[in-house]
Amino acid sequence: MKILHLDAAITGENSVSRKLTADITAKLQARNPAASVTYRDLNEGVPAIDGAWFEAVRLAPASPSAEQQKLIGISDAYLKEVQDADVLVIGSPVYNFGITAQLKNWLDQIARAGVSFRYTESGPEGLLTGKRAIIAYTAAGTPLGSDLDFASGYLRHMLGFMGITEVEFVAADRLAMDRDAGMARAQQALDQIAA
């Protein structure tokens, strides 16, 4: 088993999502001692896509410049980590009712027509199939699945669009209202995750 462990919280050691992703990864490793883990802290910086990225990565010139090769290499590295993984463990704290900018940038880097998805006569088809994603969803006040939660549905959709349809959530939500209850809900969900 190959695990890709991603964190996106800006709160460092105080992050609940980082604690949960570590717990999820540890549980998977305990059940699969030979599992390998690739770790990436998205808070260290994921470049946003822009016009230069589009020219380099999406338009794929036959003779890319050195700067274009750098942009292609960054995107390819993110994508290869996903392609190589069997399980993605993703920390997704909710900021302003949505996912973090870093996590959005990462999704933009890996959502590539012809590589992670393709368009067919019957509609889009995800190409990153056979993978599982476990999302550590944390929020101070936004309940998972509520009308105010624009994070979990978006994540489920984007991952599914690229072929990752087995998506589970370990949610510690409403932490500002009752932290102990939120953590208890997360622990219960974590206990139910099949390793």
Side-chain angles (χ1 to χ4, degrees), residues 111 116-117 119 124-127 156-164:
S116 56
F117 69 92
Y119 293 108
E125 176 187 1
L127 301 176
R156 186 183 298 278
H157 173 77
M158 283 301 298
L159 292 169
F161 182 77
M162 293 183 281
I164 304 170

Side-chain angles (χ1 to χ4, degrees), residues 118-125:
R118 67 181 173 192
Y119 293 108
T120 69
E121 290 180 3
S122 57
E125 176 187 1

Side-chain angles (χ1 to χ4, degrees), residues 59-83:
L59 296 184
S63 299
S65 68
E67 183 58 32
Q68 288 177 325
Q69 289 174 3
K70 180 180 174 186
L71 295 173
I72 294 165
I74 290 168
S75 184
D76 284 351
Y78 291 128
L79 192 51
K80 181 162 181 13
E81 289 175 348
V82 178
Q83 289 170 326

Side-chain angles (χ1 to χ4, degrees), residues 94-99 137 141-142 148-152:
V94 174
Y95 297 161
N96 301 317
F97 308 103
I99 64 172
Y137 172 100
T142 307
L148 300 176
D149 169 18
F150 300 103
S152 66

